[in-house]
Amino acid sequence: MLHPMSAQPIPFGRSSHGRRDSQPSSSSTVQLPRTLARPEFVEVSPASISAVAPELVNVPIDYIRRRLWSEAPQMMAGLSSLAPSHVPSSLPRSHLPPLLSIPLRAPSSGITPTYPTHVLAVSSSKSPHESNALMIPVHSLVLAAQCARLPQLHTPNTPVSHTLNLPVIPMSIPSPRAFTILRSFMYDHRLDRVLEALFPVPSSFLANLSHSGIRATMSSGPALHQLSLYLCEASSQNLQTLTACTARVKDLWQDMVALGLFDTELWDTLDLAWEIVLGAMNLAVVMRQNGQ
């Protein structure tokens, strides 16, 4: 069973969770930090909540998050209602429209959709000369309730007919691609989907994965070794492939820091992903040295 966000993470400092003692993973060309540091916890701003949902101005943030969790199916139905041919995957950063007019499709299920409020034009802060921005529809309250460092959004009073007019909001973060993983998590809170978006993981491990399962795995040296071995073998012991896996995990970490996304379950999952990929890198180096 997955759980909604807690009001505040339990002490947000790093804890070992039974970490293996090892030096930073290395080869002749790769130097990786042993841990991905967590920033100091910051709660989301009440002003950000009231800007997108004035009726929730005095509602406790934990209640808002629980409500969003329960309403996720309606919001996902709203995202699915957007006609795909009218939502460009990317647009030039220099020619972003103020609005996107998107026709709505009839709901494919019996769920009443809650339509998105904005389209984020997400570009990379690490590559300022990159010409395109990813166009990602979102519900502003989902982001405002979970991202402490998100620029304040305002939800327009846009009537819904057969077409939805969504404001386009430019946003610059370290990794637009990693943001797509985070956007999905903010809606469905699926820890298994976060992991499988980063690198190969055994389906038996992902089945019914919970936060307690993540923590238990972090405390088990044998379990960590088996997951690292699986990734190492799935990558054919290829250090270049494994380096790409570490880059995806690091990109996710950078986006979480930039957005102020302080979900404890997500951070523990990130810790696990880093442990697995470091272990896989170390195994690949040892296997190479032993000629396996």
Side-chain angles (χ1 to χ4, degrees), residues 31-91:
Q31 293 291 333
L32 298 173
R34 183 62 188 86
T35 59
L36 298 176
R38 299 190 187 191
E40 183 179 353
F41 174 80
V42 177
E43 185 56 278
V44 300
S45 165
S48 296
I49 299 294
S50 62
V52 300
E55 70 279 9
L56 300 177
V57 63
N58 294 316
V59 177
I61 186 62
D62 192 38
Y63 175 84
I64 295 172
R65 289 171 177 149
R66 288 197 300 269
R67 197 189 83 172
L68 288 171
W69 173 257
S70 67
E71 294 178 358
Q74 294 95 311
M75 292 187 288
M76 297 301 292
L79 292 171
S80 298
S81 296
L82 305 182
S85 60
H86 288 77
V87 184
S89 59
S90 64
L91 285 175

CSV table of all heavy atoms in Angstrom, one decimal, residues 31-91:
chain,number,residue,atom,x,y,z
A,31,GLN,N,34.1,9.4,-11.0
A,31,GLN,CA,34.1,9.7,-9.6
A,31,GLN,C,32.7,10.2,-9.1
A,31,GLN,O,32.2,11.2,-9.6
A,31,GLN,CB,35.1,10.8,-9.3
A,31,GLN,CG,36.6,10.4,-9.6
A,31,GLN,CD,37.1,9.4,-8.6
A,31,GLN,OE1,36.6,9.3,-7.4
A,31,GLN,NE2,38.1,8.6,-9.0
A,32,LEU,N,32.1,9.4,-8.2
A,32,LEU,CA,30.8,9.7,-7.8
A,32,LEU,C,30.7,10.0,-6.3
A,32,LEU,O,31.5,9.3,-5.5
A,32,LEU,CB,29.8,8.5,-8.1
A,32,LEU,CG,29.7,8.1,-9.6
A,32,LEU,CD1,28.9,6.9,-9.7
A,32,LEU,CD2,29.0,9.3,-10.3
A,33,PRO,N,29.9,10.9,-5.8
A,33,PRO,CA,29.8,11.1,-4.4
A,33,PRO,C,29.2,9.9,-3.7
A,33,PRO,O,28.4,9.2,-4.3
A,33,PRO,CB,28.9,12.3,-4.3
A,33,PRO,CG,28.1,12.3,-5.6
A,33,PRO,CD,29.0,11.7,-6.6
A,34,ARG,N,29.5,9.7,-2.4
A,34,ARG,CA,29.0,8.5,-1.7
A,34,ARG,C,27.5,8.7,-1.4
A,34,ARG,O,26.7,7.7,-1.4
A,34,ARG,CB,29.8,8.3,-0.4
A,34,ARG,CG,29.3,7.1,0.4
A,34,ARG,CD,29.5,5.8,-0.4
A,34,ARG,NE,29.0,4.7,0.2
A,34,ARG,CZ,27.7,4.3,0.1
A,34,ARG,NH1,26.9,5.0,-0.7
A,34,ARG,NH2,27.2,3.2,0.7
A,35,THR,N,27.1,9.9,-1.2
A,35,THR,CA,25.7,10.2,-0.9
A,35,THR,C,25.2,11.4,-1.6
A,35,THR,O,26.0,12.2,-2.1
A,35,THR,CB,25.4,10.4,0.6
A,35,THR,OG1,26.2,11.5,1.0
A,35,THR,CG2,25.8,9.2,1.4
A,36,LEU,N,23.9,11.5,-1.8
A,36,LEU,CA,23.2,12.7,-2.4
A,36,LEU,C,22.6,13.4,-1.2
A,36,LEU,O,21.6,13.0,-0.6
A,36,LEU,CB,22.2,12.3,-3.4
A,36,LEU,CG,22.7,11.5,-4.6
A,36,LEU,CD1,21.6,11.1,-5.5
A,36,LEU,CD2,23.8,12.3,-5.4
A,37,ALA,N,23.1,14.6,-0.9
A,37,ALA,CA,22.7,15.3,0.3
A,37,ALA,C,21.3,15.8,0.2
A,37,ALA,O,20.9,16.3,-0.8
A,37,ALA,CB,23.7,16.4,0.6
A,38,ARG,N,20.6,15.7,1.4
A,38,ARG,CA,19.3,16.3,1.5
A,38,ARG,C,19.4,17.8,1.9
A,38,ARG,O,20.1,18.1,2.9
A,38,ARG,CB,18.4,15.5,2.4
A,38,ARG,CG,18.2,14.1,2.0
A,38,ARG,CD,17.1,13.4,2.9
A,38,ARG,NE,17.0,12.0,2.6
A,38,ARG,CZ,16.0,11.3,3.1
A,38,ARG,NH1,15.1,11.8,3.8
A,38,ARG,NH2,16.0,10.0,2.8
A,39,PRO,N,18.6,18.7,1.3
A,39,PRO,CA,18.7,20.1,1.8
A,39,PRO,C,17.8,20.2,3.1
A,39,PRO,O,17.1,19.3,3.4
A,39,PRO,CB,18.0,20.8,0.6
A,39,PRO,CG,17.1,19.8,0.0
A,39,PRO,CD,17.8,18.5,0.1
A,40,GLU,N,18.0,21.3,3.7
A,40,GLU,CA,17.2,21.6,4.9
A,40,GLU,C,15.7,21.7,4.5
A,40,GLU,O,15.3,22.3,3.5
A,40,GLU,CB,17.6,22.9,5.5
A,40,GLU,CG,16.9,23.2,6.8
A,40,GLU,CD,17.4,24.5,7.4
A,40,GLU,OE1,18.4,25.1,6.9
A,40,GLU,OE2,16.7,25.0,8.4
A,41,PHE,N,14.8,21.0,5.3
A,41,PHE,CA,13.4,21.0,5.0
A,41,PHE,C,12.8,22.4,5.0
A,41,PHE,O,13.1,23.2,5.9
A,41,PHE,CB,12.7,20.1,6.1
A,41,PHE,CG,11.2,20.1,5.9
A,41,PHE,CD1,10.6,19.4,5.0
A,41,PHE,CD2,10.4,21.0,6.7
A,41,PHE,CE1,9.2,19.4,4.8
A,41,PHE,CE2,9.0,21.0,6.6
A,41,PHE,CZ,8.4,20.2,5.6
A,42,VAL,N,11.9,22.6,4.0
A,42,VAL,CA,11.2,23.9,4.0
A,42,VAL,C,9.7,23.5,3.6
A,42,VAL,O,9.5,22.7,2.7
A,42,VAL,CB,11.7,24.8,2.9
A,42,VAL,CG1,10.8,26.1,2.8
A,42,VAL,CG2,13.1,25.2,3.2
A,43,GLU,N,8.7,24.0,4.4
A,43,GLU,CA,7.3,23.7,4.1
A,43,GLU,C,6.9,24.6,3.0
A,43,GLU,O,7.4,25.7,2.7
A,43,GLU,CB,6.5,23.9,5.3
A,43,GLU,CG,5.0,23.5,5.2
A,43,GLU,CD,4.8,22.1,4.7
A,43,GLU,OE1,4.9,21.8,3.5
A,43,GLU,OE2,4.6,21.2,5.6
A,44,VAL,N,5.8,24.1,2.2
A,44,VAL,CA,5.3,24.9,1.2
A,44,VAL,C,4.6,26.2,1.7
A,44,VAL,O,4.2,26.2,2.9
A,44,VAL,CB,4.3,24.1,0.3
A,44,VAL,CG1,4.9,22.9,-0.3
A,44,VAL,CG2,3.1,23.8,1.2
A,45,SER,N,4.6,27.2,0.9
A,45,SER,CA,4.1,28.5,1.4
A,45,SER,C,2.5,28.6,1.3
A,45,SER,O,1.9,28.2,0.3
A,45,SER,CB,4.6,29.6,0.5
A,45,SER,OG,3.9,30.8,0.6
A,46,PRO,N,1.9,29.0,2.4
A,46,PRO,CA,0.4,29.2,2.4
A,46,PRO,C,0.0,30.1,1.2
A,46,PRO,O,-1.1,30.0,0.7
A,46,PRO,CB,0.1,29.7,3.7
A,46,PRO,CG,1.2,29.3,4.6
A,46,PRO,CD,2.4,29.3,3.7
A,47,ALA,N,0.9,31.1,0.9
A,47,ALA,CA,0.5,32.0,-0.1
A,47,ALA,C,0.5,31.3,-1.5
A,47,ALA,O,-0.4,31.7,-2.3
A,47,ALA,CB,1.6,33.2,-0.2
A,48,SER,N,1.3,30.3,-1.7
A,48,SER,CA,1.3,29.6,-2.9
A,48,SER,C,0.0,28.8,-3.1
A,48,SER,O,-0.6,28.6,-4.2
A,48,SER,CB,2.5,28.6,-3.0
A,48,SER,OG,3.7,29.4,-3.1
A,49,ILE,N,-0.5,28.2,-1.9
A,49,ILE,CA,-1.7,27.5,-1.9
A,49,ILE,C,-2.9,28.4,-2.2
A,49,ILE,O,-3.8,28.2,-3.1
A,49,ILE,CB,-2.0,26.8,-0.6
A,49,ILE,CG1,-0.8,25.8,-0.3
A,49,ILE,CG2,-3.3,26.1,-0.5
A,49,ILE,CD1,-0.8,24.6,-1.3
A,50,SER,N,-3.0,29.6,-1.5
A,50,SER,CA,-4.1,30.5,-1.7
A,50,SER,C,-4.1,31.1,-3.0
A,50,SER,O,-5.2,31.5,-3.5
A,50,SER,CB,-4.0,31.6,-0.6
A,50,SER,OG,-2.9,32.3,-0.7
A,51,ALA,N,-3.0,31.2,-3.7
A,51,ALA,CA,-2.9,31.8,-5.0
A,51,ALA,C,-3.6,30.9,-6.1
A,51,ALA,O,-4.2,31.4,-7.0
A,51,ALA,CB,-1.5,32.0,-5.5
A,52,VAL,N,-3.6,29.6,-5.9
A,52,VAL,CA,-4.2,28.7,-6.8
A,52,VAL,C,-5.5,28.2,-6.3
A,52,VAL,O,-6.3,27.7,-7.1
A,52,VAL,CB,-3.3,27.5,-7.2
A,52,VAL,CG1,-2.0,28.0,-7.8
A,52,VAL,CG2,-3.0,26.7,-5.9
A,53,ALA,N,-5.8,28.3,-5.0
A,53,ALA,CA,-7.0,27.8,-4.5
A,53,ALA,C,-7.4,28.6,-3.2
A,53,ALA,O,-7.2,28.2,-2.1
A,53,ALA,CB,-6.9,26.3,-4.1
A,54,PRO,N,-7.9,29.8,-3.5
A,54,PRO,CA,-8.2,30.7,-2.3
A,54,PRO,C,-9.1,30.1,-1.3
A,54,PRO,O,-9.0,30.5,-0.1
A,54,PRO,CB,-8.9,31.9,-3.0
A,54,PRO,CG,-8.5,31.9,-4.4
A,54,PRO,CD,-8.3,30.4,-4.8
A,55,GLU,N,-10.0,29.2,-1.7
A,55,GLU,CA,-10.9,28.5,-0.7
A,55,GLU,C,-10.2,27.6,0.3
A,55,GLU,O,-10.7,27.2,1.3
A,55,GLU,CB,-12.0,27.7,-1.5
A,55,GLU,CG,-11.4,26.4,-2.1
A,55,GLU,CD,-10.8,26.6,-3.5
A,55,GLU,OE1,-10.5,27.8,-3.8
A,55,GLU,OE2,-10.5,25.6,-4.1
A,56,LEU,N,-8.9,27.4,0.0
A,56,LEU,CA,-8.1,26.5,0.9
A,56,LEU,C,-7.1,27.3,1.8
A,56,LEU,O,-6.2,26.7,2.4
A,56,LEU,CB,-7.3,25.5,0.1
A,56,LEU,CG,-8.2,24.5,-0.8
A,56,LEU,CD1,-7.2,23.6,-1.6
A,56,LEU,CD2,-9.1,23.7,0.1
A,57,VAL,N,-7.3,28.6,1.9
A,57,VAL,CA,-6.3,29.4,2.5
A,57,VAL,C,-6.0,29.0,4.0
A,57,VAL,O,-4.9,29.1,4.5
A,57,VAL,CB,-6.7,30.9,2.4
A,57,VAL,CG1,-8.0,31.2,3.1
A,57,VAL,CG2,-5.6,31.8,2.9
A,58,ASN,N,-7.1,28.6,4.7
A,58,ASN,CA,-6.9,28.2,6.1
A,58,ASN,C,-6.9,26.7,6.4
A,58,ASN,O,-7.1,26.3,7.5
A,58,ASN,CB,-8.0,28.9,7.0
A,58,ASN,CG,-7.8,30.4,7.0
A,58,ASN,OD1,-6.7,30.9,7.1
A,58,ASN,ND2,-8.9,31.2,6.8
A,59,VAL,N,-6.8,26.0,5.3
A,59,VAL,CA,-6.9,24.5,5.4
A,59,VAL,C,-5.5,23.9,5.7
A,59,VAL,O,-4.6,24.3,5.0
A,59,VAL,CB,-7.5,23.9,4.2
A,59,VAL,CG1,-7.5,22.3,4.3
A,59,VAL,CG2,-8.9,24.4,3.9
A,60,PRO,N,-5.3,23.1,6.7
A,60,PRO,CA,-4.0,22.5,6.9
A,60,PRO,C,-3.4,21.8,5.7
A,60,PRO,O,-4.2,21.1,4.9
A,60,PRO,CB,-4.3,21.5,8.1
A,60,PRO,CG,-5.5,22.0,8.7
A,60,PRO,CD,-6.3,22.6,7.6
A,61,ILE,N,-2.1,22.0,5.5
A,61,ILE,CA,-1.5,21.4,4.3
A,61,ILE,C,-1.6,19.9,4.2
A,61,ILE,O,-1.7,19.3,3.1
A,61,ILE,CB,-0.1,21.9,4.2
A,61,ILE,CG1,0.6,21.5,2.8
A,61,ILE,CG2,0.8,21.4,5.3
A,61,ILE,CD1,-0.1,22.1,1.6
A,62,ASP,N,-1.5,19.2,5.3
A,62,ASP,CA,-1.6,17.8,5.3
A,62,ASP,C,-3.0,17.3,4.8
A,62,ASP,O,-3.1,16.3,4.1
A,62,ASP,CB,-1.4,17.2,6.7
A,62,ASP,CG,-1.2,15.7,6.8
A,62,ASP,OD1,-0.5,15.2,5.8
A,62,ASP,OD2,-1.7,15.1,7.7
A,63,TYR,N,-4.0,18.1,5.2
A,63,TYR,CA,-5.4,17.7,4.7
A,63,TYR,C,-5.5,17.9,3.2
A,63,TYR,O,-6.1,17.1,2.5
A,63,TYR,CB,-6.4,18.6,5.4
A,63,TYR,CG,-7.8,18.4,4.9
A,63,TYR,CD1,-8.6,17.3,5.3
A,63,TYR,CD2,-8.3,19.2,3.9
A,63,TYR,CE1,-9.9,17.1,4.8
A,63,TYR,CE2,-9.6,19.0,3.4
A,63,TYR,CZ,-10.4,18.0,3.8
A,63,TYR,OH,-11.7,17.8,3.3
A,64,ILE,N,-4.9,19.0,2.7
A,64,ILE,CA,-4.9,19.3,1.3
A,64,ILE,C,-4.2,18.2,0.5
A,64,ILE,O,-4.7,17.7,-0.5
A,64,ILE,CB,-4.2,20.6,1.0
A,64,ILE,CG1,-5.0,21.8,1.6
A,64,ILE,CG2,-4.0,20.8,-0.5
A,64,ILE,CD1,-4.3,23.1,1.5
A,65,ARG,N,-3.1,17.7,1.0
A,65,ARG,CA,-2.3,16.6,0.3
A,65,ARG,C,-3.1,15.3,0.3
A,65,ARG,O,-3.2,14.6,-0.7
A,65,ARG,CB,-1.0,16.4,1.0
A,65,ARG,CG,0.0,17.6,0.8
A,65,ARG,CD,1.2,17.4,1.6
A,65,ARG,NE,2.2,18.5,1.3
A,65,ARG,CZ,3.0,19.0,2.2
A,65,ARG,NH1,3.0,18.6,3.4
A,65,ARG,NH2,3.9,20.0,1.8
A,66,ARG,N,-3.8,15.0,1.5
A,66,ARG,CA,-4.6,13.8,1.5
A,66,ARG,C,-5.8,14.0,0.5
A,66,ARG,O,-6.2,13.0,-0.2
A,66,ARG,CB,-5.2,13.6,2.9
A,66,ARG,CG,-4.1,13.1,3.9
A,66,ARG,CD,-4.8,12.5,5.1
A,66,ARG,NE,-5.6,13.4,5.8
A,66,ARG,CZ,-5.2,14.2,6.8
A,66,ARG,NH1,-4.0,14.2,7.2
A,66,ARG,NH2,-6.1,15.1,7.4
A,67,ARG,N,-6.4,15.1,0.4
A,67,ARG,CA,-7.4,15.3,-0.6
A,67,ARG,C,-6.9,15.2,-2.0
A,67,ARG,O,-7.6,14.5,-2.9
A,67,ARG,CB,-8.1,16.7,-0.4
A,67,ARG,CG,-9.4,16.8,-1.1
A,67,ARG,CD,-9.9,18.3,-1.1
A,67,ARG,NE,-9.4,19.0,-2.3
A,67,ARG,CZ,-9.8,20.2,-2.6
A,67,ARG,NH1,-10.7,20.9,-1.9
A,67,ARG,NH2,-9.2,20.9,-3.6
A,68,LEU,N,-5.8,15.7,-2.3
A,68,LEU,CA,-5.2,15.5,-3.6
A,68,LEU,C,-5.0,14.1,-3.9
A,68,LEU,O,-5.2,13.6,-5.1
A,68,LEU,CB,-3.9,16.3,-3.8
A,68,LEU,CG,-4.0,17.8,-3.8
A,68,LEU,CD1,-2.6,18.5,-3.7
A,68,LEU,CD2,-4.7,18.3,-5.1
A,69,TRP,N,-4.5,13.3,-2.9
A,69,TRP,CA,-4.3,11.9,-3.1
A,69,TRP,C,-5.6,11.2,-3.5
A,69,TRP,O,-5.6,10.4,-4.4
A,69,TRP,CB,-3.7,11.3,-1.8
A,69,TRP,CG,-3.6,9.8,-1.8
A,69,TRP,CD1,-4.4,9.0,-1.1
A,69,TRP,CD2,-2.6,9.0,-2.4
A,69,TRP,NE1,-4.0,7.7,-1.3
A,69,TRP,CE2,-2.9,7.7,-2.1
A,69,TRP,CE3,-1.5,9.3,-3.2
A,69,TRP,CZ2,-2.1,6.6,-2.5
A,69,TRP,CZ3,-0.7,8.2,-3.6
A,69,TRP,CH2,-1.0,6.9,-3.3
A,70,SER,N,-6.7,11.5,-2.8
A,70,SER,CA,-7.9,10.9,-3.1
A,70,SER,C,-8.5,11.3,-4.4
A,70,SER,O,-9.3,10.6,-5.1
A,70,SER,CB,-9.0,11.2,-2.0
A,70,SER,OG,-9.3,12.5,-2.0
A,71,GLU,N,-8.1,12.5,-4.9
A,71,GLU,CA,-8.7,13.0,-6.2
A,71,GLU,C,-7.8,12.8,-7.4
A,71,GLU,O,-8.1,13.2,-8.5
A,71,GLU,CB,-9.0,14.5,-6.0
A,71,GLU,CG,-10.1,14.8,-5.0
A,71,GLU,CD,-10.3,16.3,-4.9
A,71,GLU,OE1,-9.6,17.1,-5.5
A,71,GLU,OE2,-11.2,16.7,-4.1
A,72,ALA,N,-6.7,12.0,-7.2
A,72,ALA,CA,-5.8,11.8,-8.2
A,72,ALA,C,-6.4,11.1,-9.5
A,72,ALA,O,-6.1,11.5,-10.6
A,72,ALA,CB,-4.6,10.9,-7.7
A,73,PRO,N,-7.3,10.2,-9.3
A,73,PRO,CA,-8.0,9.6,-10.5
A,73,PRO,C,-8.7,10.6,-11.4
A,73,PRO,O,-8.6,10.5,-12.6
A,73,PRO,CB,-8.9,8.5,-9.9
A,73,PRO,CG,-8.3,8.2,-8.6
A,73,PRO,CD,-7.7,9.4,-8.1
A,74,GLN,N,-9.4,11.6,-10.7
A,74,GLN,CA,-10.1,12.6,-11.5
A,74,GLN,C,-9.1,13.5,-12.2
A,74,GLN,O,-9.3,13.9,-13.4
A,74,GLN,CB,-11.0,13.4,-10.6
A,74,GLN,CG,-12.1,12.7,-10.0
A,74,GLN,CD,-11.8,12.1,-8.6
A,74,GLN,OE1,-10.8,11.5,-8.4
A,74,GLN,NE2,-12.7,12.4,-7.6
A,75,MET,N,-8.0,13.8,-11.6
A,75,MET,CA,-7.0,14.7,-12.2
A,75,MET,C,-6.3,13.9,-13.4
A,75,MET,O,-6.0,14.5,-14.4
A,75,MET,CB,-6.0,15.2,-11.2
A,75,MET,CG,-6.6,16.2,-10.2
A,75,MET,SD,-5.4,16.9,-9.1
A,75,MET,CE,-5.0,15.5,-8.0
A,76,MET,N,-6.0,12.7,-13.2
A,76,MET,CA,-5.4,11.9,-14.2
A,76,MET,C,-6.3,11.8,-15.4
A,76,MET,O,-5.9,11.8,-16.6
A,76,MET,CB,-5.0,10.5,-13.7
A,76,MET,CG,-3.9,10.5,-12.6
A,76,MET,SD,-2.4,11.3,-13.2
A,76,MET,CE,-1.8,10.2,-14.4
A,77,ALA,N,-7.6,11.6,-15.1
A,77,ALA,CA,-8.6,11.6,-16.2
A,77,ALA,C,-8.7,12.9,-16.9
A,77,ALA,O,-8.8,13.0,-18.1
A,77,ALA,CB,-10.0,11.3,-15.6
A,78,GLY,N,-8.5,14.0,-16.2
A,78,GLY,CA,-8.4,15.4,-16.8
A,78,GLY,C,-7.2,15.5,-17.8
A,78,GLY,O,-7.3,16.0,-18.9
A,79,LEU,N,-6.1,15.0,-17.3
A,79,LEU,CA,-4.9,15.0,-18.2
A,79,LEU,C,-5.1,14.2,-19.5
A,79,LEU,O,-4.7,14.5,-20.6
A,79,LEU,CB,-3.7,14.5,-17.5
A,79,LEU,CG,-3.2,15.4,-16.3
A,79,LEU,CD1,-2.1,14.7,-15.5
A,79,LEU,CD2,-2.6,16.7,-16.9
A,80,SER,N,-5.8,13.0,-19.3
A,80,SER,CA,-6.0,12.1,-20.4
A,80,SER,C,-7.1,12.7,-21.4
A,80,SER,O,-7.2,12.2,-22.5
A,80,SER,CB,-6.5,10.8,-19.9
A,80,SER,OG,-5.5,10.2,-19.1
A,81,SER,N,-7.9,13.7,-20.9
A,81,SER,CA,-8.9,14.3,-21.7
A,81,SER,C,-8.4,15.2,-22.8
A,81,SER,O,-9.1,15.6,-23.7
A,81,SER,CB,-10.0,15.0,-20.9
A,81,SER,OG,-10.6,14.0,-20.0
A,82,LEU,N,-7.1,15.7,-22.6
A,82,LEU,CA,-6.5,16.6,-23.6
A,82,LEU,C,-6.2,15.9,-24.9
A,82,LEU,O,-5.6,14.8,-24.9
A,82,LEU,CB,-5.3,17.2,-23.0
A,82,LEU,CG,-5.4,17.9,-21.6
A,82,LEU,CD1,-4.0,18.5,-21.2
A,82,LEU,CD2,-6.4,19.0,-21.6
A,83,ALA,N,-6.7,16.5,-26.0
A,83,ALA,CA,-6.4,15.9,-27.3
A,83,ALA,C,-4.9,15.9,-27.5
A,83,ALA,O,-4.3,17.0,-27.6
A,83,ALA,CB,-7.1,16.6,-28.4
A,84,PRO,N,-4.3,14.7,-27.6
A,84,PRO,CA,-2.8,14.7,-27.8
A,84,PRO,C,-2.2,15.4,-28.9
A,84,PRO,O,-1.2,16.0,-28.8
A,84,PRO,CB,-2.5,13.2,-27.9
A,84,PRO,CG,-3.7,12.5,-27.4
A,84,PRO,CD,-4.9,13.4,-27.7
A,85,SER,N,-3.0,15.5,-30.0
A,85,SER,CA,-2.5,16.2,-31.2
A,85,SER,C,-2.4,17.7,-31.0
A,85,SER,O,-1.7,18.4,-31.8
A,85,SER,CB,-3.4,15.9,-32.4
A,85,SER,OG,-4.7,16.3,-32.2
A,86,HIS,N,-3.0,18.2,-30.0
A,86,HIS,CA,-3.0,19.6,-29.7
A,86,HIS,C,-2.1,20.0,-28.5
A,86,HIS,O,-2.1,21.2,-28.1
A,86,HIS,CB,-4.4,20.2,-29.5
A,86,HIS,CG,-5.2,20.2,-30.7
A,86,HIS,ND1,-5.8,19.1,-31.3
A,86,HIS,CD2,-5.6,21.2,-31.6
A,86,HIS,CE1,-6.5,19.4,-32.4
A,86,HIS,NE2,-6.3,20.7,-32.6
A,87,VAL,N,-1.4,19.0,-28.0
A,87,VAL,CA,-0.4,19.3,-26.9
A,87,VAL,C,0.9,19.0,-27.4
A,87,VAL,O,1.4,17.8,-27.4
A,87,VAL,CB,-0.7,18.5,-25.6
A,87,VAL,CG1,0.2,18.9,-24.5
A,87,VAL,CG2,-2.2,18.6,-25.2
A,88,PRO,N,1.7,20.0,-27.9
A,88,PRO,CA,3.0,19.7,-28.5
A,88,PRO,C,3.9,19.2,-27.4
A,88,PRO,O,3.9,19.6,-26.2
A,88,PRO,CB,3.4,21.1,-29.0
A,88,PRO,CG,2.6,22.1,-28.2
A,88,PRO,CD,1.3,21.4,-27.9
A,89,SER,N,4.8,18.2,-27.8
A,89,SER,CA,5.7,17.7,-26.8
A,89,SER,C,6.8,18.7,-26.4
A,89,SER,O,7.2,18.8,-25.3
A,89,SER,CB,6.4,16.4,-27.3
A,89,SER,OG,7.1,16.7,-28.5
A,90,SER,N,7.1,19.6,-27.3
A,90,SER,CA,8.0,20.7,-27.1
A,90,SER,C,7.8,21.9,-28.0
A,90,SER,O,7.2,21.7,-29.1
A,90,SER,CB,9.5,20.2,-27.2
A,90,SER,OG,9.8,19.9,-28.5
A,91,LEU,N,8.3,23.0,-27.6
A,91,LEU,CA,8.2,24.2,-28.4
A,91,LEU,C,9.5,25.0,-28.2
A,91,LEU,O,10.1,24.9,-27.2
A,91,LEU,CB,7.0,25.1,-28.0
A,91,LEU,CG,5.6,24.6,-28.4
A,91,LEU,CD1,4.5,25.5,-27.8
A,91,LEU,CD2,5.4,24.5,-29.9
